[in-house]
């Protein structure tokens, strides 16, 4: 059984930083790839960043240079360091996990993931 426990959301002013954490538990084959999606009010859900157990990463263009995904395989925790936050980053952020993807080009597709966390709110004020 797979479990995802997210933490680290909150409110911050524009230009500030937050770090999200996702504790992942479950079968190795089902949690090979872990990432973050977000959904803002009235907008579609979008992939933010993802990383697999080998450390291969992908970041959405909208967050490149500002967000960094990393993982601690010993602790089974995936982090999303968010710097230079903007009001448009305001959204509910979901941790997701799934099996190995054939290519990193699939990392930010919802179809690559079978399990979703409950979500954590990130609010950036101007």
């Amino acid at each position: 059984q797979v479990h995802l426990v997210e933490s680290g959301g909150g409110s911050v002013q524009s230009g500030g930083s937050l770090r999200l954490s996702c504790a992942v538990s479950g079968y190795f084959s089902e949690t090979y790839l872990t990432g973050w999606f977000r959904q803002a009010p009235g907008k579609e859900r979008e992939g933010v960043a993802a990383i697999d157990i080998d450390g291969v990463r992908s970041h959405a263009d909208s967050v490149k240079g500002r967000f960094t995904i990393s993982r601690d395989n010993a602790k089974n925790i995936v982090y999303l360091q968010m710097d230079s936050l903007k009001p448009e980053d305001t959204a509910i952020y979901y941790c997701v996990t799934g099996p190995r993807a054939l290519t990193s080009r699939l990392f930010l597709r919802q179809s690559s993931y079978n399990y979703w966390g409950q979500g954590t709110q990130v609010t950036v004020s101007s």
Side-chain angles (χ1 to χ4, degrees):
Q1 200 167 11
V2 175
H3 290 286
L4 300 169
V5 179
E6 302 142 327
S7 61
S11 297
V12 66
Q13 288 191 328
S14 181
S17 298
L18 284 173
R19 188 177 78 161
L20 304 182
S21 300
C22 179
V24 183
S25 61
Y27 291 117
F28 174 85
S29 61
E30 296 186 18
T31 60
Y32 197 94
L33 175 65
T34 302
W36 293 90
F37 279 69
R38 67 185 180 184
Q39 187 165 23
K43 294 188 177 181
E44 293 186 355
R45 194 172 292 178
E46 64 170 341
V48 177
I51 185 170
D52 70 12
I53 287 178
D54 297 322
V56 178
R57 317 177 193 199
S58 180
H59 295 81
D61 289 343
S62 58
V63 305
K64 280 181 180 177
R66 300 187 300 119
F67 291 12
T68 303
I69 193 168
S70 62
R71 67 186 299 154
D72 184 332
N73 286 338
K75 297 180 179 178
N76 292 326
I77 298 177
V78 173
Y79 302 99
L80 183 67
Q81 178 66 40
M82 305 186 293
D83 299 317
S84 302
L85 282 160
K86 305 175 181 180
E88 50 263 45
D89 294 318
T90 295
I92 298 175
Y93 283 71
Y94 298 91
C95 180
V96 295
T97 195
R100 185 173 187 170
L102 293 176
T103 169
S104 60
R105 286 177 292 180
L106 300 176
F107 280 17
L108 300 184
R109 291 190 184 182
Q110 293 188 53
S111 58
S112 295
Y113 301 93
N114 297 326
Y115 300 94
W116 291 69
Q118 78 282 2
T120 184
Q121 177 70 46
V122 172
T123 302
V124 185
S125 59
S126 57

